[in-house]
Amino acid sequence: MSRTTPATAFLRRQGITFETLEYEYDPSVGKLGVHAAAAVGEPEERVFKTLMAEVDGKPVCAVIPVARELSMKKLAAAFSGRSAAMMKQPDAERITGYRLGGISPFGQRRVVPTVVAQEAESLPCILMNGGGRGIQVRLSVADALAAMKGRFADILVPQRMP
């Protein structure tokens, strides 16, 4: 039986079908999301991380692939703002109700505008933090977007060609 978190309870209340995957959380690894993808045996392109930021001083949520980088300029543009910055850890934890390393876009304490990297649009399913360290949820992209009341946006730093 998997653990119930505010995120999984939220998804159940919404009637969303999802699967919970648990793994050994290791805070010493450099890239937690990449580690999570490997730990649950999923390609990095399908595992997304939840980042809390501020656009023109207002909280927003960005959901991006774990191996990619968020563009602050594109994030600001996605919300018709002038500037964006990552939210400070204490603020992110207070607003979401989750600890860093376990922030989920589902069931946050405070509902904030959310964008998902447009790269998710073509995927059959997506994995995201399930509301706790070492917990991922797998669900359809359409269900994920509906549950978080999000929208797709071009928010990633372009990948460099080798």
Side-chain angles (χ1 to χ4, degrees):
M1 173 97 180
S2 58
R3 294 183 285 166
T4 297
T5 67
T8 59
F10 172 83
L11 290 170
R12 283 190 191 97
R13 283 192 309 274
Q14 299 296 313
I16 303 287
T17 301
F18 66 96
E19 177 184 359
T20 304
L21 299 114
E22 295 190 42
Y23 63 96
E24 191 66 38
Y25 176 81
D26 183 357
S28 69
V29 298
K31 294 190 176 242
L32 290 171
V34 172
H35 168 72
V40 298
E42 287 285 341
E44 294 173 359
E45 303 80 44
R46 253 197 312 229
V47 182
F48 281 57
K49 58 188 171 185
T50 306
L51 302 174
M52 299 304 295
E54 294 178 345
V55 172
D56 295 341
K58 295 183 174 84
V60 299
C61 180
V63 181
I64 69 169
V66 294
R68 298 290 302 275
E69 188 179 335
L70 179 64
S71 165
M72 290 300 154
K73 183 176 180 178
K74 289 181 178 182
L75 182 65
F79 288 104
S80 301
R82 294 184 345 169
S83 67
M86 291 303 296
M87 190 178 288
K88 292 182 175 138
Q89 179 180 342
D91 294 334
E93 291 178 344
R94 180 179 43 77
I95 287 172
T96 64
Y98 298 115
R99 292 187 328 180
L100 201 65
I103 294 178
S104 176
F106 309 116
Q108 294 183 359
R109 254 189 213 144
R110 182 170 160 195
V111 177
V112 299
T114 301
V115 290
V116 178
Q118 64 188 12
E119 288 72 7
E121 202 165 2
S122 62
L123 297 174
C125 66
I126 188 170
L127 283 84
M128 289 173 237
N129 193 287
R133 295 174 173 178
I135 302 173
Q136 292 285 310
V137 291
R138 178 190 293 132
L139 64 166
S140 78
V141 174
D143 283 347
L145 204 63
M148 67 179 84
K149 294 180 174 50
R151 62 182 170 81
F152 293 115
D154 175 14
I155 55 173
L156 298 179
V157 170
Q159 286 186 302
R160 296 189 180 140
M161 300 308 278

